[in-house]
């Protein structure tokens, strides 16, 4: 299990190494090299939190792989884990990014309980530190996606509802400012449409057809707004896609 003792804050060198490992992990993830991605992101998380992983295995490359199976969604262990050893380091942008990436890797590997634990810890930490609403919404979306794949449709719907509400709040805020870029707004539309589509899918699997149609129609409406946004701004060929990738990685 994770140690509950107070851990020292990571050194500058450890934080730089962690950032490098996250880039390495993202490279392996794009190539679908999931074992290597898991190794890199798990070690990045340990370095960013300044926290020694006791429940680990070490592969031939010497990288630690944490076992998160003992953390469960919604448990006090899961929701409070980020505060156990060093709250500030666990809630740092680097630590949360590494843990979020771990969740993505676990989900791609089909390790849904582990993925859910990671994403729920990120959600709890982001809510605790009052992170930007879009970041919290993204965490709710990730939690919902894991719950849907675990066929816990009621809880998945609750997560999607939270995500959709926060995405709408963010859209309202963006409509009142000129600082938001096209790529960021497009990503927000895509995330909102995805949450609505998955919400509708849960209703469909529960045979709540009218509810499913309502959410899926709303998803189509949002996607039409995205198409309109793209057609009005008409970015150079390839430029819009590259801008979205840059916004995702920021």
């Amino acid at each position: 299990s994770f140690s509950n003792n107070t851990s020292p804050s990571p050194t500058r060198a450890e934080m730089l190494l962690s950032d490098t490992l996250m880039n390495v992990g993202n490279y392996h993830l794009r190539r679908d090299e999931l074992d290597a991605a898991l190794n890199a992101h798990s070690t990045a998380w340990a370095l960013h939190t300044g926290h020694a992983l006791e429940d680990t295995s070490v592969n031939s490359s010497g990288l630690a792989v944490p076992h998160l199976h003992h953390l469960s969604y919604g448990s006090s262990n899961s929701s409070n884990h980020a505060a156990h050893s060093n709250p500030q380091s666990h809630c740092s942008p680097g630590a949360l990014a590494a843990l979020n990436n771990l969740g993505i890797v676990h989900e791609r590997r089909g390790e849904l309980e582990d993925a859910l634990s990671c994403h729920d810890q990120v959600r709890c930490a982001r809510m605790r530190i009052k992170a930007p609403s879009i970041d919290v919404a993204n965490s709710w979306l990730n939690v919902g996606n894991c719950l849907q794949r675990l066929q816990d449709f009621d809880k998945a719907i609750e997560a999607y509802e939270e995500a959709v509400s926060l995405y709408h709040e963010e859209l309202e805020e963006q409509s009142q400012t000129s600082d938001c870029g096209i790529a960021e707004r497009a990503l927000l539309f895509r995330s909102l449409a995805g949450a609505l589509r998955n919400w509708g899918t849960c209703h469909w699997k529960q045979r709540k057809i009218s509810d499913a149609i309502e959410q899926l129609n709303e998803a189509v409406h949002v996607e039409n707004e995205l198409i309109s946004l793209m057609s009005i701004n008409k970015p150079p060929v390839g430029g819009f896609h590259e801008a979205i990738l840059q916004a995702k990685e920021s």
Side-chain angles (χ1 to χ4, degrees):
S1 61
F2 291 98
S3 170
N4 291 338
N5 298 327
T6 300
S7 301
S9 298
T11 65
R12 176 66 175 167
E14 287 173 332
M15 292 180 67
L16 290 173
L17 177 57
S18 175
D19 290 342
T20 299
L21 283 168
M22 281 197 286
N23 289 332
V24 170
N26 290 336
Y27 167 80
H28 286 303
L29 186 58
R30 291 191 185 100
R31 293 169 59 89
D32 207 35
E33 298 166 351
L34 300 183
D35 288 343
L38 178 64
N39 290 340
H41 286 308
S42 62
T43 307
W45 183 87
L47 288 169
H48 250 299
T49 57
H51 184 76
L53 295 175
E54 295 175 352
D55 186 12
T56 63
S57 59
V58 179
N59 76 342
S60 59
S61 300
L63 297 174
V65 183
H67 301 304
L68 302 176
H69 53 80
H70 58 289
L71 296 175
S72 59
Y73 167 74
S75 69
S76 59
N77 191 17
S78 173
S79 61
N80 294 325
H81 167 63
H84 278 171
S85 57
N86 191 332
Q88 291 184 343
S89 63
H90 280 291
C91 293
S92 70
L96 295 180
L99 192 56
N100 184 74
N101 290 340
L102 265 176
I104 294 171
V105 174
H106 280 304
E107 192 172 358
R108 291 271 295 274
R109 286 162 59 97
E111 298 161 350
L112 300 179
E113 294 286 355
D114 286 348
L116 180 57
S117 293
C118 291
H119 289 310
D120 192 44
Q121 289 177 71
V122 174
R123 176 193 65 81
C124 290
R126 284 175 171 171
M127 293 179 68
R128 183 167 53 251
I129 65 175
K130 301 186 185 304
S133 59
I134 191 168
D135 292 338
V136 179
N138 290 339
S139 290
W140 274 117
L141 178 59
N142 290 334
V143 167
N145 290 343
C146 291
L147 288 167
Q148 182 186 174
R149 292 184 63 186
L150 288 166
Q151 299 187 35
D152 192 341
F153 300 124
D154 287 334
K155 288 184 179 178
I157 288 170
E158 292 176 5
Y160 290 136
E161 189 172 6
E162 292 283 355
V164 166
S165 176
L166 289 170
Y167 285 137
H168 278 302
E169 288 181 15
E170 185 68 18
L171 277 173
E172 180 63 26
E173 290 181 10
Q174 288 186 3
S175 67
Q176 299 175 11
T177 179
S178 59
D179 295 336
C180 178
I182 299 303
E184 289 80 2
R185 192 164 179 80
L187 277 175
L188 181 52
F189 276 124
R190 290 180 62 186
S191 297
L192 174 57
L196 287 164
R197 194 164 50 244
N198 292 347
W199 185 354
T201 299
C202 288
H203 281 310
W204 186 269
K205 291 180 178 178
Q206 292 179 317
R207 300 186 182 278
K208 298 177 180 178
I209 307 304
S210 60
D211 290 334
I213 291 174
E214 178 182 354
Q215 301 307 327
L216 293 172
N217 280 337
E218 181 63 22
V220 171
H221 173 73
V222 172
E223 288 167 345
N224 286 336
E225 289 194 42
L226 173 58
I227 292 171
S228 176
L229 176 70
M230 294 173 65
S231 62
I232 291 173
N233 290 277
K234 293 183 179 178
V237 175
F240 190 83
H241 179 66
E242 292 172 4
I244 287 181
L245 287 178
Q246 290 175 3
K248 277 186 174 180
E249 295 174 356
S250 62

